Amino acid sequence: MAREPVVTGGNGGEDERDLKGLRPQRMQDMVGQRDVYARLQVAVEAARMRGDALGHILFDGPPGLGKTTFALCIPREIGSSIQLTSGAILKAPKDLLPYLSNAPEKSVLFIDEIHRLPKAVEEYLYTAMEDFRIDIVLGEGVSARTINLHLKPFTLIGATTRAGLLSGPLRDRFQIRETLGFYNEQELTEILHRSAGNLEIPIREDAARELARRSRGTPRIANNQLLWVRDFATSRADGEITLEVARAALTMAGIDELGLNRTDRQYLDTLIRVFQGGPAGIEAIGHTMNGSIDTLEDEVEPFLLRMEMLVRTPRGRIVTQRAYHHLGMKPAGGGTQRGLF
Ligand code: ADP
């Protein structure tokens, strides 16, 4: 039986109220991503049988799909510990040093947002990952000398929403690379039922399906919406989440029938009204909306692309007929456009 992992550093990327208890503790308890699970299971078992550290793993995919959850489950499978950090806070090689030198044998070092590592830190990782060794330069100029520090074999798990921003040499040092995809309605319904069960929230089957349908294929959004609908059910109804309660709560939160939120609609509206439907570059759209380009690229666009409301071309982003139709607007030249905001 695997030991509970010792978690040090960071907060596991969990900042939503109540959601901590909803994270599956073992890979087998995770819903969906069966092919990813099966491949990881093989790698974990083989490493365990050989007595080796598990190979380095890179998880890639939009936010909220389970990258951190997988990373937290893995040390439980191998009976080891985990240290958590983020590419955003590792500003210089010296920031990485305590994590590497403290890493026990076969332990996991999880670096979230690994695409944000500065180049100098990234280069430092190369020998750490490949030879379990780091070279520290002491002094400067002619008196400078290099000390080789030997590390215990460990497993680096990186998570990124932008695998494309990782340099080739870093990407190539991960033996296992997994891209997490969006979840289907049935999987999200199962996640919602489990979460509602854990939090003792009464929810009807049709209400769970409605929430799943409007959760953008993302477990984190499904769980967040469940908490909001629970509040709504408590304050405006008798506490039970019925279909009617779920619909009213989501409408109040600005989530439409297809799961688009206000930012999604504002993005499409800007592209249609200001840029005549495109093509337009992400920077121009972001500046016009006065929003974060990272959020648009990580969260808004993957969903709109998947909903076939947006296409990305070398010349820029273009809205599709489906988007016009969904917003009740007509393509330019085909009638009067109506703003949404
Ligand atoms: P990421 O690291 O990709 O941003 P997380 O691993 O933090 O996403 O997942 C967000 C939340 O969604 C978690 O708190 C967890 O409760 C839930 N979740 C993610 N993946 C699954 C899954 N496969 N099964 C059940 N719940 C999941």
Side-chain angles (χ1 to χ4, degrees):
M1 191 68 201
R3 279 186 291 123
E4 276 300 288
V6 181
V7 178
T8 54
N11 67 359
E14 198 69 288
D15 52 11
E16 306 98 336
R17 59 187 180 142
D18 277 354
L19 288 190
K20 217 168 185 127
L22 300 184
R23 227 188 248 292
Q25 301 294 299
R26 304 297 301 245
M27 281 203 296
Q28 74 211 35
D29 299 331
M30 292 181 71
V31 176
Q33 312 287 358
R34 288 297 93 184
D35 47 347
V36 176
Y37 167 66
R39 286 189 291 266
L40 289 173
Q41 194 64 10
V42 168
V44 164
E45 253 169 52
R48 213 170 25 206
M49 285 162 79
R50 280 197 305 268
D52 287 346
L54 181 65
H56 306 303
I57 305 171
L58 180 65
F59 289 115
D60 158 37
L65 296 187
K67 299 183 292 297
T68 308
T69 308
F70 267 117
L72 288 170
C73 286
I74 285 168
R76 289 193 183 94
E77 308 289 330
I78 52 181
S80 72
S81 60
I82 181 167
Q83 301 184 86
L84 306 160
T85 184
S86 163
I89 59 170
L90 297 170
K91 300 220 182 307
K94 70 171 170 36
D95 300 330
L96 197 55
L97 204 55
Y99 291 104
L100 292 176
S101 55
N102 288 335
E105 190 169 346
K106 296 181 203 160
S107 67
V108 170
L109 171 60
F110 175 59
I111 306 185
D112 199 10
E113 297 192 275
I114 195 162
H115 60 273
R116 295 182 67 180
L117 282 182
K119 190 95 195 106
V121 182
E122 203 186 289
E123 283 171 0
Y124 206 63
L125 270 180
Y126 296 164
T127 56
M129 292 172 77
E130 210 158 68
D131 307 323
F132 303 117
R133 188 196 84 220
I134 43 180
D135 303 324
I136 304 168
V137 182
L138 294 178
E140 281 177 17
V142 281
S143 62
R145 37 193 195 103
T146 306
I147 295 182
N148 306 132
L149 185 66
H150 291 275
L151 309 171
K152 302 200 180 75
F154 71 101
T155 302
L156 179 71
I157 303 185
T160 179
T161 49
R162 309 268 186 94
L165 292 186
L166 252 59
S167 71
L170 181 60
R171 227 184 4 248
D172 291 346
R173 280 171 171 78
F174 288 99
Q175 281 98 55
I176 304 167
R177 281 178 260 170
E178 293 292 353
T179 300
L180 300 192
F182 288 107
Y183 293 67
N184 63 31
E185 205 178 299
Q186 200 186 332
E187 291 164 344
L188 289 171
T189 307
E190 192 181 334
I191 291 173
L192 283 161
H193 277 307
R194 281 182 184 211
S195 302
N198 285 349
L199 298 172
E200 297 181 12
I201 303 172
I203 185 166
R204 298 252 184 97
E205 174 63 25
D206 52 1
R209 261 187 281 119
E210 182 73 5
L211 273 178
R213 214 167 52 74
R214 299 201 201 184
S215 293
R216 314 162 62 106
T218 307
R220 181 181 287 138
I221 294 177
N223 282 337
N224 273 328
Q225 289 188 167
L226 176 68
L227 296 182
W228 160 248
V229 179
R230 172 183 68 172
D231 286 353
F232 188 92
T234 306
S235 124
R236 298 283 173 95
D238 65 0
E240 189 188 19
I241 302 178
T242 60
L243 181 59
E244 201 187 356
V245 165
R247 283 186 176 152
L250 292 176
T251 302
M252 191 176 184
I255 312 294
D256 68 26
E257 313 79 61
L258 294 183
L260 274 72
N261 62 26
R262 289 196 195 93
T263 314
D264 302 323
R265 290 194 300 273
Q266 195 191 351
Y267 175 99
L268 293 174
D269 188 60
T270 304
L271 195 46
I272 290 172
R273 285 190 309 108
V274 183
F275 299 98
Q276 290 78 48
I282 183 66
E283 256 97 31
I285 302 168
H287 291 315
T288 309
M289 285 175 66
N290 212 4
S292 145
I293 290 167
D294 280 357
T295 307
L296 295 181
E297 281 201 288
D298 285 354
E299 296 177 34
V300 174
E301 291 190 336
F303 174 62
L304 294 176
L305 287 164
R306 182 168 162 256
M307 297 300 286
E308 298 178 357
M309 293 196 186
L310 182 72
V311 284
R312 282 175 69 165
T313 71
R315 290 182 304 136
R317 278 72 168 162
I318 303 175
V319 289
T320 64
Q321 291 291 335
R322 192 156 189 241
Y324 283 102
H325 182 74
H326 181 65
L327 298 182
M329 297 164 103
K330 290 208 170 75
T336 332
Q337 289 187 10
R338 165 165 73 77
L340 288 177
F341 298 92

